[in-house]
Amino acid sequence: MTKASMAGDIQPRQALPIEAQEAAPRGSALRRVLQSGGGVVAACALLFMLLYFYQGDAGLNLGSSWLIFALFAVSVDFLWGYTGVLSVGQGVFFGLGGYCYAWMTVPIVFDAPVTSNASLLGCLAAVLVPGLVALLVGVLSFHGGFGANIWVFTLALGLLATMLGYSATGVFGGFGGINLIPPLSLTIGDWTGTVGWGVPVYLTVACVLVLVVMALRWVLTSDVGLLMASIRDNEERSQYLGTNVNLVKLAVFVVSSMVAGLAGALCAGVNSTISPDVMGFGLSLSVILWVMIGGRGTLFGGVVGCLAMMLLQWQMSGSLAGFYQLVVGGLLIVIVLTRSGGVVPFTVHLLGNMADWIRPDGRRGTAR
Amino acid sequence: METFVYVSMNALMAMSTLCLISLGFWVVLTQLGIFNFAHGEFVMLGAYGAVAMHVWRLDPWLSVFVGGAMMAILGCILAFTVMPRVVNRPLDAILLTWGLGLVLQQLVELLSSKQWLVKSPIQGSLVVLGASLPPYRLFLVGACAALVTAVLLMMRYTRFGLEMRAAFQDAEMARVNGINAKRVTTVTFVSACTLCGVAGALIAPLVGVYPGMGSQYLTKTILAVVMGGPASVTGVLGGAALIGGSESALSAATASMAASASVIAFAVVLIRMRPSGLFVRKEVADLLAPKAMK
């Protein structure tokens, strides 16, 4: 089935499917899942060393919030890179997840928030509530074959959420947002584990990231993953073949939003603050850019793109902060114009070419 | 009575400016088959034409020409460099124009990040039915109405308008019939940019001019165009009038934030119920809707 969809003659180049498919490692499903997990572990370890040696524990706190954004980027790549659905309001689900965590742990909306295991319940709510909202928006935009313009609905959602976020001060905390959110913790019986600072936070977030990437990779190696790729590559044809396109899109959208919500909850727990800012288009656009830079349809690309841009933003803070936005906009333009597939597919392509060069029979082929 | 005059005047103004702004957006949508996310920044740049006149103490009426000319030049540059690369690639175009808007906004931000209040060219006040209105608002309503009418007449009755509509409907068939569709597309894109610039310069005295001002116009325009129906100009103008008018009228009754939010929610429901557009018949929409909408 992959072969058939790859051989499709009217391949829209904008979806960049061929490069993306090259990036998928070959081998059995379990091996692919382990490989993708290993890649993320390597990236996390590299970042850990970099930040720990330069900045110590403070650097690790910074790094864990980067990994949270990387998790968010992975969720967007799952939706956009594998199913071809471009949502321009994913930040809403991230923010909503953060707020769910805050509402469960800080007495701002509910007078007496849950006391035992509030953090865990917060994370649970942060997965479920964005999932429900995504279900609603997804039904609105996909039901009856309306899917081509999901970005209109997500645009409206983003607008509504930011308006609500800034005006409903009792619920969202106004411009300052909700502060003093307790850190992530877990209570089992009498034992309570809290991750508040430095290495434990970094390790927790990295573990969540690795597990989520492996779970998503597992979905992608299953038949559902093939359906997703076929929708991305040629929606009409997969509909003719009997795929319930709208249902698959809806499911992927909901799952992606749930992961985004989880990332938001981690963000609130680690940074102990959440503001309506994150629901705006700034973050939604940034995450699209991270995925574009890293490479659509690779999962790992989202992590790479996010960490690279975060490092850049970190280096450009201060007097250069104004120019960072210029770089962001310029990169968007350049990537679209050059139709670049991103860093990860490019590297894989390069490695494939090198492998062809050193092939013993001397037969040189393209990486494809 | 006074309140009624105020409210209806504000609604009229919102309607006419949004119609003018949506027209430029719609032309780009139909001709290039893309949603121009840098549209709000185009309007913002036009408004900075008025700021320039204000700063250099020149005749404020010149701002319309300066804003228009500035955007015409930028439109020319874009029409010959980036825009042809994303024709009929809607998703890529959204990302590209979004990035473009970000760059334009940030460039202006680096030059001057403060909010400018521009003096309006017509001072004084006019008493209509017991309500004192600033005459510039009245002028603005007239100017927008005149511009929109002029564009419509041009599209309906001139040779170029005919070529434009032909290229809208079927660029390939237009080329077969000897129309230089590429040239038509370029010229219409530049004119649409100019229109944005003029609109920005016109509304500058009534709103604060700051680098991020474009985003509110962009989202309203997108909702108006999609809701009204991009297949025909009636749909676009109807959608713009409905969104602009209802938002302005509602904000007289409740907080402006609540008014905007309810208008957005209302628009989403309408888009969902009538995907082809509120003011466009389905048969027409099936034939003429831009590719980006299908």
Side-chain angles (χ1 to χ4, degrees):
Chain A
M1 192 166 170
T2 350
K3 275 273 181 282
S5 62
M6 273 171 77
D9 42 299
I10 27 176
Q11 199 71 253
R13 239 201 114 176
Q14 72 202 38
L16 293 164
I18 296 171
E19 282 91 334
Q21 276 171 357
E22 278 166 22
R26 297 174 184 89
S28 72
L30 182 67
R31 204 177 133 205
R32 284 199 229 171
V33 170
L34 289 179
Q35 271 177 356
S36 63
V40 180
V41 168
C44 291
L46 208 66
L47 186 71
F48 181 92
M49 286 191 277
L50 186 76
L51 288 174
Y52 195 71
F53 287 128
Y54 276 107
Q55 300 270 313
D57 273 358
L60 284 186
N61 250 36
L62 198 66
S64 26
S65 58
W66 295 356
L67 289 187
I68 290 166
F69 284 127
L71 180 63
F72 182 35
V74 164
S75 82
V76 170
D77 192 21
F78 186 67
L79 176 67
W80 183 40
Y82 284 96
T83 323
V85 175
L86 179 63
S87 159
V88 293
Q90 277 317 87
V92 174
F93 301 112
F94 184 88
L96 207 55
Y99 272 110
C100 283
Y101 184 86
W103 292 330
M104 295 301 272
T105 50
V106 181
I108 182 163
V109 181
F110 310 117
D111 282 338
V114 205
T115 41
S116 72
N117 257 339
S119 175
L120 190 68
L121 280 172
C123 287
L124 208 63
V127 173
L128 292 180
V129 173
L132 276 178
V133 175
L135 189 69
L136 205 74
V137 177
V139 166
L140 203 66
S141 42
F142 294 131
H143 185 71
F146 202 82
N149 289 311
I150 185 187
W151 64 262
V152 175
F153 289 94
T154 44
L155 189 80
L157 178 76
L159 261 181
L160 279 177
T162 26
M163 278 180 180
L164 208 68
Y166 285 124
S167 57
T169 44
V171 181
F172 292 96
F175 280 86
I178 300 178
N179 298 308
L180 299 175
I181 301 171
L184 301 165
S185 66
L186 182 68
T187 312
I188 304 171
D190 292 337
W191 177 83
T192 303
T194 305
V195 281
W197 182 253
V199 182
V201 177
Y202 189 88
L203 288 182
T204 313
V205 174
C207 279
V208 173
L209 178 64
V210 170
L211 287 179
V212 169
V213 168
M214 281 165 76
L216 292 181
R217 173 61 71 195
W218 177 71
V219 172
L220 289 170
T221 48
S222 70
D223 289 354
V224 179
L226 285 182
L227 285 183
M228 287 163 64
S230 75
I231 290 171
R232 174 195 62 197
D233 292 345
N234 197 331
E235 189 174 333
E236 270 180 12
R237 196 175 290 182
S238 49
Q239 197 149 24
Y240 288 142
L241 288 170
T243 312
N244 191 341
V245 170
N246 296 323
L247 189 68
V248 176
K249 276 185 180 175
L250 179 64
V252 173
F253 183 53
V254 170
V255 169
S256 159
S257 306
M258 287 164 108
V259 176
L262 178 66
L266 291 179
C267 181
V270 169
N271 297 336
S272 73
T273 173
I274 185 94
S275 71
D277 263 1
V278 292
M279 297 198 288
F281 293 111
L283 184 61
S284 303
L285 177 63
S286 309
V287 72
I288 290 173
L289 179 72
W290 299 334
V291 174
M292 282 170 83
I293 289 174
R296 265 173 279 185
T298 53
L299 282 195
F300 189 52
V303 178
V304 171
C306 172
L307 295 185
M309 288 309 281
M310 281 292 161
L311 272 171
L312 185 70
Q313 189 175 17
W314 187 46
Q315 289 303 314
M316 287 181 79
S317 58
S319 59
L320 286 174
F323 290 92
Y324 176 71
Q325 291 299 321
L326 274 186
V327 173
V328 167
L331 272 175
L332 267 174
I333 297 174
V334 168
I335 293 176
V336 171
L337 284 185
T338 55
R339 302 188 181 198
S340 158
V343 175
V344 171
F346 178 75
T347 316
V348 171
H349 187 87
L350 212 65
L351 289 178
N353 274 348
M354 278 161 66
D356 284 346
W357 268 100
I358 56 173
R359 202 179 268 175
D361 58 2
R363 191 160 46 93
R364 260 193 70 205
T366 56
R368 201 168 296 156
Chain B
M1 193 65 205
E2 269 178 58
T3 347
F4 177 73
V5 174
Y6 281 129
V7 170
S8 51
M9 198 59 224
N10 280 340
L12 259 181
M13 203 190 70
M15 279 157 83
S16 45
T17 45
L18 196 58
C19 280
L20 186 62
I21 293 172
S22 304
L23 206 59
F25 183 82
W26 175 72
V27 168
V28 176
L29 173 62
T30 40
Q31 279 286 1
L32 277 73
I34 63 173
F35 284 87
N36 179 13
F37 270 56
H39 186 76
E41 275 66 38
F42 289 0
V43 175
M44 178 266 290
L45 283 182
Y48 269 91
V51 171
M53 294 303 101
H54 178 76
V55 172
W56 295 326
R57 295 177 196 288
L58 293 172
D59 189 356
W61 288 111
L62 279 177
S63 65
V64 175
F65 297 100
V66 172
M70 223 157 70
M71 275 318 301
I73 294 168
L74 184 68
C76 271
I77 296 171
L78 293 177
F80 286 105
T81 51
V82 293
M83 283 306 167
R85 308 271 194 107
V86 287
V87 167
N88 287 331
R89 286 164 60 197
L91 286 191
D92 278 4
I94 287 178
L95 299 173
L96 179 112
T97 49
W98 204 342
L100 187 69
L102 214 57
V103 168
L104 291 177
Q105 189 182 327
Q106 200 58 37
L107 281 178
V108 175
E109 179 101 43
L110 287 176
L111 288 177
S112 105
S113 59
K114 74 175 211 178
Q115 178 164 353
W116 293 89
L117 293 170
V118 182
K119 224 164 64 177
S120 78
I122 315 174
Q123 297 290 330
S125 71
L126 205 70
V127 180
V128 181
L129 294 172
S132 77
L133 294 172
Y136 187 72
R137 292 192 171 223
L138 287 172
F139 163 78
L140 192 66
V141 171
C144 286
L147 267 173
V148 171
T149 319
V151 172
L152 290 188
L153 289 178
M154 195 275 286
M155 280 172 65
R156 185 78 185 80
Y157 291 109
T158 63
R159 170 79 198 175
F160 184 75
L162 186 70
E163 290 183 355
M164 217 168 113
R165 282 182 293 141
F168 278 7
Q169 285 185 19
D170 194 332
E172 207 165 319
M173 196 47 85
R175 272 205 297 279
V176 171
N177 282 295
I179 294 170
N180 187 346
K182 214 168 181 180
R183 190 184 60 101
V184 172
T185 302
T186 310
V187 174
T188 37
F189 179 71
V190 174
S191 337
C193 290
T194 317
L195 214 57
C196 292
V198 170
L202 279 174
I203 59 173
L206 295 177
V207 293
V209 181
Y210 59 97
M213 69 181 279
S215 60
Q216 48 174 328
Y217 296 106
L218 172 72
T219 43
K220 264 191 254 172
T221 308
I222 290 177
L223 286 179
V225 168
V226 176
M227 188 188 82
S232 94
V233 74
T234 1
V236 173
L237 295 183
L242 196 61
I243 291 231
S246 59
E247 187 178 1
S248 160
L250 271 178
S251 63
T254 58
S256 69
M257 201 74 113
S260 309
S262 50
V263 166
I264 291 168
F266 185 59
V268 165
V269 172
L270 284 179
I271 291 170
R272 179 59 236 196
M273 280 163 60
R274 287 206 53 155
S276 58
L278 207 54
F279 301 101
V280 179
R281 284 204 314 278
K282 201 176 172 310
E283 306 88 76
V284 179
D286 285 345
L287 273 179
L288 298 183
K291 263 191 208 138
M293 290 296 298
K294 280 180 182 165

